[in-house]
Amino acid sequence: FLFDEPTTGLHLADIDLLYRTLRRLVQRGDGVVVVEHNLDFLVHADWIVDLGPGGGEHGGRLLFCGPLATFLDSAQSPTAEGLRRHLRWRRRGG
């Protein structure tokens, strides 16, 4: 399955339902690829493919490909920096 920005316009409760539904697809053995920018959704990813460093003619290079934990620990990209900031903000109760 390939989903392109499936969280657009969804309420947080609906995003949670979407995540649980996609997780069930993976658990039954289906392949699921999600193109997404929602940081709350990205923190649940098993595998990150980060393209960039920007959009259009300034993008398209593979910046990172691997597990979320490695992405957070070592990736040097705008997405990785933003996700690390977002997680610190969430831990503070933001």
Side-chain angles (χ1 to χ4, degrees), residues 11-59:
H11 183 274
L12 290 176
D14 295 322
I15 292 173
D16 183 59
L17 177 60
L18 171 66
Y19 166 73
R20 288 185 283 125
T21 302
L22 296 179
R23 181 58 59 191
R24 281 196 302 273
L25 289 173
V26 170
Q27 288 171 343
R28 76 176 200 187
D30 292 314
V32 176
V33 175
V34 180
V35 177
E36 186 58 70
H37 292 91
N38 181 308
L39 297 177
D40 287 314
F41 195 83
L42 286 178
V43 300
H44 297 292
D46 295 326
W47 195 263
I48 298 284
V49 177
D50 190 14
L51 300 174
E57 65 185 41
H58 303 289

Side-chain angles (χ1 to χ4, degrees), residues 48-85:
I48 298 284
V49 177
D50 190 14
L51 300 174
E57 65 185 41
H58 303 289
R61 291 196 314 247
L62 180 63
L63 301 177
F64 178 87
C65 183
L68 177 64
T70 305
F71 182 69
L72 292 171
D73 288 343
S74 63
Q76 300 300 314
S77 74
T79 305
E81 294 297 326
L83 191 53
R84 285 190 284 266
R85 275 193 312 276

